[in-house]
């Protein structure tokens, strides 16, 4: 039985940094005043991205129930950082993944804006067909990867990893080349992939998704956005990772069921189904 722990972007960045993975600078804020002070330090530069910390995709195109549009906004003044954060915090953000009820935003993440030359896609997932991890890469990053796979499948590249022997140099070399990295940026991309795989194994990961894995104008490679999932069954040995769990983003019925080691899946209607298998 596998239930995947999903964590916020800021937490993903902190975990990646602990494994030497390059990420943009960022500061977590829980009040609009903190957001203003974070901007005023100057550590994040002049152009700063304010990101609502909600466990759902499509934040940038989402709308808060107070009418404020966009869960990802660019600011270039301290007062704008304060204003935007104030309109996000304590509000419900509705995206294509949340349903009409939305999800509460209790934190915002201020992140430095990087000037990017190229955006690529990279992920590591557990692949049943391979009986182990598979790396997935694409030169078409910064967009919906499902659309890329459906419309331009030739831009999706995979490398099946032997979980005993680990990722091999030739595998990351092929993937980096197929993703369009050249010269020094290719070596940096390969190093990032290896570090992400090390993190994936060490933390009992079930998914690492970096979109985009980007190359800057000076040839550096950064993980600019991340989604990390972990195996709930490994909580006994991954206590630090599981401290990032945000129960405010979960269905309270699922939280209650979890206390009794049960899975609860909320559905429409008034008829319940109690089963002892995964026959849903």
């Amino acid at each position: 039985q596998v239930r995947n722990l999903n964590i916020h972007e800021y937490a993903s960045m902190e975990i990646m940094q602990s494994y030497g993975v390059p990420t943009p600078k960022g500061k977590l804020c829980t009040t609009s005043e903190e957001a203003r002070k974070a901007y005023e330090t100057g550590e994040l530069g002049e152009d700063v991205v304010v990101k609502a910390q909600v466990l759902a995709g499509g934040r940038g195109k989402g709308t808060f129930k107070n009418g404020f549009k966009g869960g990802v906004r660019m600011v270039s003044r301290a007062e704008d950082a304060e204003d935007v954060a104030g309109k996000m915090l304590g509000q419900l953000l509705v995206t294509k993944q949340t349903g009409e009820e939305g999800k509460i935003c209790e934190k915002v993440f201020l992140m430095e804006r990087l000037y990017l030359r190229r955006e690529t896609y990279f992920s590591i997932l557990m692949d049943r067909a391979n009986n182990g991890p598979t790396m997935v890469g694409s030169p078409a990053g910064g967009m919906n990867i499902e659309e890329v796979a459906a419309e331009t499948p030739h831009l999706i590249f995979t490398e099946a990893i032997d979980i005993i022997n680990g990722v091999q140099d030739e595998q990351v070399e092929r993937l980096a080349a197929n993703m369009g990295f050249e010269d020094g940026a290719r070596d940096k991309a390969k190093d990032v992939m290896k570090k992400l795989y090390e993190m994936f194994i060490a933390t009992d990961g079930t998914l690492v998704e970096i979109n985009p894995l980007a190359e800057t104008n000076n040839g550096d490679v950064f993980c600019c956005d991340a989604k990390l999932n972990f195996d709930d069954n490994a909580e006994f040995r991954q206590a630090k990772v599981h401290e990032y769990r945000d129960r405010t983003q979960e269905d309270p019925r699922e939280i209650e069921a979890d206390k009794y080691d049960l899975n609860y899946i909320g559905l429409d209607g008034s008829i319940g189904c109690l089963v002892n298998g995964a026959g849903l």
Side-chain angles (χ1 to χ4, degrees):
Q1 175 180 318
V2 176
R3 298 185 299 272
N4 295 325
L5 170 70
N6 190 7
I7 63 173
H8 286 295
E9 178 185 9
Y10 81 88
S12 297
M13 294 292 183
E14 290 179 3
I15 292 174
M16 289 192 298
Q17 290 165 6
S18 71
Y19 284 87
V21 176
T23 71
K25 298 174 185 175
K27 287 184 177 294
L28 181 68
C29 303
T30 57
T31 68
S32 56
E33 291 79 11
E34 286 181 2
R36 181 187 184 97
K37 291 178 181 178
Y39 184 96
E40 289 175 339
T41 64
E43 296 176 12
L44 304 180
E46 185 174 344
D47 294 331
V48 175
V49 187
V50 182
K51 294 185 166 188
Q53 295 300 281
V54 171
L55 291 179
R59 290 174 299 166
K61 296 181 179 179
T63 301
F64 290 89
K65 288 206 170 183
N66 62 359
F68 188 66
K69 295 185 181 297
V72 178
R73 299 289 291 263
M74 186 81 66
V75 299
S76 55
R77 299 186 306 170
E79 52 265 39
D80 292 338
E82 183 177 21
D83 179 61
V84 169
K87 291 174 179 175
M88 292 181 177
L89 290 166
Q91 300 295 323
L92 291 166
L93 178 61
V94 179
T95 78
K96 62 183 180 180
Q97 291 187 4
T98 64
E100 63 181 18
E101 67 275 9
K103 286 194 174 183
I104 190 71
C105 173
E106 295 188 334
K107 304 179 182 72
V108 293
F109 189 52
L110 270 63
M111 193 170 74
E112 70 170 320
R113 179 187 181 185
L114 297 177
Y115 292 89
L116 309 179
R117 176 183 297 161
R118 293 190 323 107
E119 297 183 25
T120 72
Y121 173 91
F122 176 77
S123 66
I124 309 171
L125 49 87
M126 296 303 292
D127 183 2
R128 290 191 178 191
N130 173 44
N131 290 322
T134 292
M135 286 184 170
V136 181
S138 175
M143 60 185 74
N144 189 319
I145 195 62
E146 288 81 6
E147 292 179 6
V148 175
E151 298 172 8
T152 53
H154 62 283
L155 295 180
I156 302 291
F157 301 92
T158 62
E159 292 287 342
I161 310 300
D162 185 318
I163 200 166
I164 302 300
N165 297 321
V167 63
Q168 302 298 303
D169 288 342
E170 57 267 26
Q171 291 182 299
V172 291
E173 171 70 32
R174 270 195 306 269
L175 203 52
N178 286 331
M179 292 165 66
F181 289 104
E182 298 178 346
D183 304 323
R186 182 179 297 180
D187 290 333
K188 293 176 181 177
K190 288 161 54 180
D191 183 61
V192 170
M193 293 177 195
K194 288 180 179 179
K195 288 177 177 175
L196 287 171
Y197 182 79
E198 177 191 357
M199 177 193 73
F200 178 80
I201 295 299
T203 58
D204 288 291
T206 57
L207 173 69
V208 171
E209 186 173 47
I210 311 298
N211 192 15
L213 176 63
E215 179 183 348
T216 64
N217 292 336
N218 59 6
D220 288 328
V221 177
F222 285 89
C223 295
C224 294
D225 200 350
K227 179 179 181 181
L228 305 185
N229 288 358
F230 306 90
D231 186 349
D232 269 10
N233 291 318
E235 183 175 3
F236 70 96
R237 63 185 179 202
Q238 300 292 351
K240 187 173 181 179
V241 169
H242 282 258
E243 288 177 359
Y244 286 114
R245 182 177 181 180
D246 184 354
R247 296 181 185 273
T248 68
Q249 301 289 301
E250 301 177 25
D251 186 327
R253 299 170 297 179
E254 295 179 7
I255 296 172
E256 184 66 20
D258 185 53
K259 294 178 182 178
Y260 304 95
D261 199 27
L262 299 173
N263 276 346
Y264 181 91
I265 299 175
L267 301 172
D268 294 333
S270 58
I271 299 175
C273 181
L274 180 64
V275 296
N276 65 348
L280 298 174

